[in-house]
Amino acid sequence: MDTSAKKFPESFLWGGATAANQLEGGFHEGNKGMNIADVLPGGKERLAILQSPGFDFQIDESKYSYPNHEAIDFYHRYKEDIALFAEMGFKAYRMSIAWTRIFPNGDELEPNEEGLAFYDRVFDELHKYGIEPVVTISHYEMPVNLVKEYGGWRDRQVVTFFERYVNAIFNRYKNKVKYWMTFNEINSGLMMPIMGLGFSIQKEEDRYQGTFQAYHHQFVASSIAVKACHEIIPDAKIGCMILFAPVYSYDSNPENVMYAIQEENIFNYFCADVQVRGEYPTFIKRYFKEHNINLDIREGDLELIKEHTVDYIGFSYYMSRTEKKDKSDQENIQGNIMSGVKNPFLKASDWGWEIDPIGLRISLNKLYGRYQVPLFVVENGLGAYDKVEEDGSINDDYRIDYIREHIQAMGEAIEDGVELMGYTSWGCIDLVSASTGEFEKRYGFIYVDKHDDGSGTLERKKKKSFFWYKDVIASNGEKL
Ligand code: BG6
C-alpha cells in the first residue's frame, strides 16, 4: 500500500467510541433498570452463552461475575475521562444512551428524569471542549423487562416503547446532539439474537420466523426514529449502524465465490439495504420463501420504511472473513461475532481476529459503490493484552501499528472517491469487552486499572498510543 499521507477533509470527525453498558457502571444508580448486558456473565462463558440456545436472562452470582455492573465507573468519572478525550483533541465522541436509564423497564409512559439529567451533564461536558457527541440509541442495552415480558423485538408492542424512548431523547437533547445512530450492529442479531434482538433461540421457529419478524419490527422502529429525528432536529443526521466484514471467497472455485456472495448478501447487506434503500432486497425474499418465513407486515409499514431512510451508514470494521462452501478440510476462525476459514495471508490478534487493513478500504469501496451515502467508521481497533512497565509506561506499539494501517486504508478510500465523515476508534478508554465480558481485552488509548478477577483501583493512565493519536488528530491524519 502507498503509505504517503493522504488528505482527510477538514471537517473529518476524529475520535473514539464506547457503549453505555461497557463503561458506565452505576447499574442501579439514578433509578436505572436492568438491561441485557447486566445479566450477561463475564469471562469466556459469555461467548458460549451468546452462541447457544436457551439463555434465561437471570443473574446467578453464585456461579458468575458481572463486570458490566461496575464497568469502569464512567458514571462517576465522566468528567475526568472527557478531559482526557479532549487532551487527545477528539472532535467527536461516539457513545450510547442506556435505554434503561431513560425508561428503566422499557414500558413506562414517562421517562426517568434522573437518567435524562445524567446525559445532559455528559453532553454539556463534551460541548465544553468542542467535542461532538455521536449517539447510538440502542447498543445491546434493551431493558430486560422487555425481554422477559414481551419476548424482545419479536413483539410489535416494543416498537411503541421504542418510539416513546426516541421521542423523549430527541426532544430533550435536540440542541445538544446532531449525530445519531439507531441500532448498533443491527445485522449481528443474525448470529447472536440475545444482544441485538432480545431473545434466545429455543426452537427452530425462533431462528427463522422469530428472527426476521424481530428484524421487521426493528426496521419499522428505525424508520420511526429517522422520521422523528428529522422532524424534531432538522439539522441532525441519523444513520444506521452495521457490522461490516467483507467476505472473501477462499479460492476461485465458482461454488465458493457464490457462497461468499450469499453470505455477504445476508450478513452485510440485508439490513443496510432495508435501512438505506428502503426496501427488502430480492435475495432475502428468496431466503424467506426457502425457510418458510411469513412476516406480519402491517399496513403502512413498507411505505414508512421506504420514506424514512437513513442519512449515512455507520459501521464497525475489525476484520475480513474468508469463506468456503465445504469447510470440513479447513481451520475455523472465530472473529467478531462471525466465524469463517483461516486466511493464509493474514495475521491475527491475541483473540484470533484476523488483521486486514486493506479489508477496510475494500469495505469502504463496496459500501459506497452500493449505496452512495456518506460513511462513518464508528468502530475499529485492536483488542490486546497490555503490560504496565515498572516505570508506569504502557508501550502499545502493536495498537499504534494496527490503527495507523487502518487510517492509511481510509486515506486510500478517500482518494478512491469515498465520502467519509469520520473515524471513532473502538474502546478509546479500556472497557468491558462485549463478546467475552473481559477487562484484559483492552482497546484503549487510556489504560484503566481494572482486572478480570475484580481487582484494580480504576486509575486511568495514558498509553503510548494516547500521545500518538493526539498527533494524528492535530495533523488531521498527516502525521502517522
Ligand atoms: C462490536 C460491538 O461488535 O465490537 C462492541 O459493537 C464491541 O460493543 C466491539 O465491544 C469489540 O468486541 P469485543 O467483543 O472485543 O468487545
Side-chain angles (χ1 to χ4, degrees):
M1 196 192 302
D2 172 10
T3 54
S4 59
K6 297 287 179 298
K7 266 246 159 299
F8 285 83
E10 279 310 316
S11 57
F12 197 75
L13 294 168
W14 296 100
T18 60
N21 72 87
Q22 291 174 256
L23 94 163
E24 281 181 5
F27 92 117
H28 272 330
E29 289 184 63
N31 295 327
K32 179 184 159 293
M34 294 262 274
N35 64 39
I36 289 172
D38 293 326
V39 298
L40 287 174
K44 308 275 184 218
E45 292 94 340
R46 180 182 291 198
L47 193 57
I49 286 173
L50 291 172
Q51 288 175 329
S52 33
F55 179 56
D56 60 5
F57 296 89
Q58 299 288 358
I59 287 187
D60 181 354
E61 277 171 327
S62 67
K63 251 166 106 183
Y64 301 119
S65 65
Y66 292 87
N68 298 68
H69 291 187
E70 189 189 24
I72 60 157
D73 195 31
F74 179 84
Y75 189 72
H76 297 108
R77 295 165 197 250
Y78 65 93
K79 286 193 178 172
E80 182 193 342
D81 294 340
I82 292 171
L84 288 166
F85 301 158
E87 195 182 327
M88 273 188 278
F90 277 19
K91 311 271 185 227
Y93 171 50
R94 177 185 172 222
M95 52 176 276
S96 69
I97 293 179
W99 188 348
T100 48
R101 287 205 187 281
I102 312 301
F103 288 93
N105 289 315
D107 56 1
E108 295 91 340
L109 292 174
E110 294 302 325
N112 167 37
E113 177 54 33
E114 275 198 69
L116 287 167
F118 170 67
Y119 292 108
D120 263 328
R121 294 196 292 277
V122 171
F123 297 142
D124 290 346
E125 198 65 19
L126 289 166
H127 285 303
K128 189 167 117 187
Y129 297 104
I131 301 174
E132 203 64 61
V134 177
V135 174
T136 321
I137 297 169
S138 181
H139 191 131
Y140 300 150
E141 290 149 344
M142 183 179 213
V144 164
N145 178 56
L146 298 186
V147 171
K148 292 189 176 162
E149 295 299 320
Y150 300 86
W153 278 96
R154 288 172 299 183
D155 191 319
R156 177 87 189 199
Q157 294 177 85
V158 173
V159 176
T160 309
F161 304 143
F162 186 79
E163 183 172 7
R164 225 174 263 159
Y165 166 50
V166 297
N167 278 320
I169 58 178
F170 291 155
N171 279 311
R172 178 73 168 225
Y173 307 125
K174 61 183 174 217
N175 297 321
K176 298 184 182 180
V177 181
K178 303 295 173 186
Y179 294 93
W180 298 89
M181 276 176 287
T182 50
F183 296 100
N184 181 63
E185 294 186 334
I186 184 166
N187 49 335
S188 70
L190 293 165
M191 301 281 183
M192 293 185 190
I194 290 178
M195 290 199 295
L197 301 175
F199 66 92
S200 173
I201 303 282
Q202 311 282 358
K203 42 187 183 327
E204 271 316 276
E205 196 191 317
D206 299 329
R207 193 177 305 283
Y208 296 105
Q209 183 64 31
T211 296
F212 288 93
Q213 189 62 55
Y215 268 117
H216 180 69
H217 294 151
Q218 284 200 333
F219 296 144
V220 171
S222 167
S223 287
I224 287 174
V226 170
K227 181 171 185 275
C229 181
H230 288 156
E231 284 168 6
I232 300 169
I233 329 177
D235 57 339
K237 295 207 179 310
I238 180 161
C240 59
M241 196 308 200
I242 56 169
L243 185 170
F244 199 88
V247 185
Y248 304 153
S249 172
Y250 174 75
D251 58 19
S252 55
N253 179 344
E255 291 271 3
N256 292 332
V257 175
M258 192 63 228
Y259 182 70
I261 289 175
Q262 284 171 327
E263 284 293 294
E264 181 145 278
N265 275 347
I266 301 259
F267 199 73
N268 286 344
Y269 295 130
F270 156 55
C271 295
D273 278 2
V274 182
Q275 292 184 289
V276 183
R277 290 173 161 170
E279 281 172 12
Y280 278 92
T282 49
F283 63 79
I284 206 72
K285 292 183 182 159
R286 175 175 179 175
Y287 184 90
F288 287 171
K289 218 191 234 149
E290 287 174 356
H291 293 87
N292 216 7
I293 297 165
N294 290 300
L295 297 185
D296 173 12
I297 297 178
R298 308 262 167 102
E299 206 190 320
D301 284 359
L302 296 179
E303 291 74 16
L304 184 85
I305 289 172
K306 184 72 194 167
E307 266 173 51
H308 302 286
T309 53
V310 292
D311 302 318
Y312 68 94
I313 299 175
F315 71 102
S316 63
Y317 175 80
Y318 292 92
M319 57 184 291
S320 54
R321 173 179 161 202
T322 304
E323 275 297 353
K324 187 164 183 278
K325 195 167 180 194
D326 174 7
K327 297 185 249 290
S328 55
D329 58 349
Q330 295 297 311
E331 190 182 326
N332 192 45
I333 286 286
Q334 253 305 327
N336 181 21
I337 298 184
M338 84 294 287
S339 56
V341 303
K342 188 172 162 53
N343 183 328
F345 300 99
L346 301 176
K347 293 202 180 94
S349 75
D350 293 343
W351 271 259
W353 296 19
E354 287 180 332
I355 299 172
D356 180 11
I358 296 175
L360 177 54
R361 181 178 176 189
I362 294 170
S363 304
L364 287 160
N365 273 278
K366 283 188 166 189
L367 282 168
Y368 197 66
R370 191 176 179 103
Y371 300 112
Q372 280 108 39
V373 296
L375 305 178
F376 196 157
V377 179
V378 293
E379 273 189 43
N380 168 248
L382 182 70
Y385 292 107
D386 288 333
K387 181 165 179 262
V388 184
E389 304 294 343
E390 269 175 28
D391 64 0
S393 64
I394 300 142
N395 300 307
D396 55 342
D397 293 287
Y398 36 89
R399 182 167 295 110
I400 293 173
D401 292 344
Y402 178 101
I403 296 179
R404 176 193 295 117
E405 288 173 13
H406 285 79
I407 292 176
Q408 282 164 348
M410 291 192 303
E412 293 293 338
I414 289 171
E415 297 246 324
D416 294 333
V418 170
E419 208 179 327
L420 188 57
M421 295 162 63
Y423 175 80
T424 52
S425 174
W426 176 251
C428 46
I429 180 165
D430 291 348
L431 37 64
V432 182
S433 70
S435 56
T436 48
E438 291 163 288
F439 286 107
E440 302 306 346
K441 187 180 191 187
R442 296 175 183 276
Y443 285 90
F445 303 116
I446 301 162
Y447 182 91
V448 178
D449 182 35
K450 181 79 190 174
H451 306 280
D452 288 336
D453 61 4
S455 67
T457 60
L458 291 168
E459 187 199 346
R460 277 63 168 152
K461 289 184 204 298
K462 298 169 195 169
K463 302 183 193 176
K464 187 171 174 184
S465 57
F466 180 101
F467 302 99
W468 172 81
Y469 196 48
K470 182 177 176 177
D471 282 349
V472 171
I473 299 177
S475 65
N476 200 25
E478 288 202 12
K479 202 170 154 205
L480 292 172

